[in-house]
Amino acid sequence: MPSNVEIKATVSDPGKFAEKSSELSESEGAIIRQHDTFFNCSTGRLKLRDFMDGTGQLIFYERPDTDGPKLSRYSISPTNDPSTLRAVLSDALGVKGEVRKERRLFLIGQTRVHLDTVEGLGHYMELEVVMRPEQTVEEGQQVALNLMDQLGVSQESLVTGAYMDLILKECKET
């Protein structure tokens, strides 16, 4: 199963973060709209990512709900019919919730840097260090920590869990 080392954090100044990411990636980043539907499952997380263009991905992943760099293992299956797949999985498993976001993707070395505007939550960043077969988790964590420093991401801004968890928490508190 492929893996990456991930971190997620809040972003107080998305313009400044985008500027630093652009400098490091030497690109303006790619804008991607995503509608993620999370389904009930007994282990890990199962989501259908709809790219809002007739394509999508069914993604299963497992990772600990801790802040800081953490290992995530995942499986991805592409689909050209996300709406029908969503209906089937909704009937079979039930929907846990949905996340809508606009993502600006930057590639820096082996790391996918996301600047996300999440509907109902605000601005966040994610680092996904795509692990090479020969790399250890510790090496991936060090790549993430170094990039955090370069991007000005503080330990205090780190977030645990997935956007779905944050949305569900917001719903319980209101």
Side-chain angles (χ1 to χ4, degrees):
M1 189 179 285
S3 63
N4 57 36
V5 170
E6 296 183 15
I7 66 154
K8 186 187 313 275
T10 58
V11 172
S12 58
D13 188 341
K16 185 177 177 183
F17 184 85
E19 188 178 309
K20 286 183 181 181
S21 297
S22 290
E23 286 174 20
L24 291 171
S25 69
E26 299 178 353
S27 79
E28 291 302 309
I31 303 294
I32 306 166
R33 289 179 46 230
Q34 298 176 341
H35 175 190
D36 293 346
T37 303
F38 285 77
F39 301 96
N40 297 315
C41 64
S42 58
T43 62
R45 292 182 173 94
L46 181 66
K47 68 182 172 186
L48 176 64
R49 172 160 290 159
D50 188 335
F51 292 112
M52 314 304 291
D53 65 359
T55 66
Q57 298 173 325
L58 184 61
I59 304 167
F60 171 77
Y61 65 101
E62 296 176 301
R63 75 165 181 247
D65 288 332
T66 58
D67 62 11
K70 55 200 158 274
L71 185 67
S72 176
R73 298 187 186 280
Y74 59 91
S75 300
I76 298 176
S77 177
T79 180
N80 289 320
D81 191 359
S83 59
T84 300
L85 185 54
R86 180 183 300 106
V88 170
L89 290 169
S90 297
D91 289 346
L93 302 173
V95 172
K96 185 174 186 176
E98 298 180 28
V99 176
R100 289 178 174 81
K101 65 181 172 281
E102 182 176 279
R103 170 166 281 175
R104 191 165 168 190
L105 169 65
F106 302 92
L107 299 175
I108 302 172
Q110 71 186 92
T111 306
R112 296 170 52 92
V113 177
H114 305 144
L115 174 58
D116 293 337
T117 302
V118 184
E119 191 176 291
L121 290 179
H123 302 286
Y124 292 82
M125 60 75 60
E126 286 184 348
L127 302 180
E128 293 178 350
V129 180
V130 181
M131 298 297 290
R132 297 182 183 122
E134 73 279 2
Q135 280 184 304
T136 66
V137 174
E138 293 76 22
E139 289 171 327
Q141 290 171 329
Q142 193 56 56
V143 170
L145 290 170
N146 291 342
L147 199 47
M148 277 177 60
D149 285 343
Q150 292 176 39
L151 292 168
V153 177
S154 69
Q155 291 287 329
E156 297 76 36
S157 65
L158 295 177
V159 174
T160 62
Y163 293 136
M164 185 74 262
D165 301 325
L166 297 174
I167 288 172
L168 291 173
K169 183 179 176 187
E170 286 279 323
C171 290
K172 286 181 183 177
E173 291 176 359
T174 57

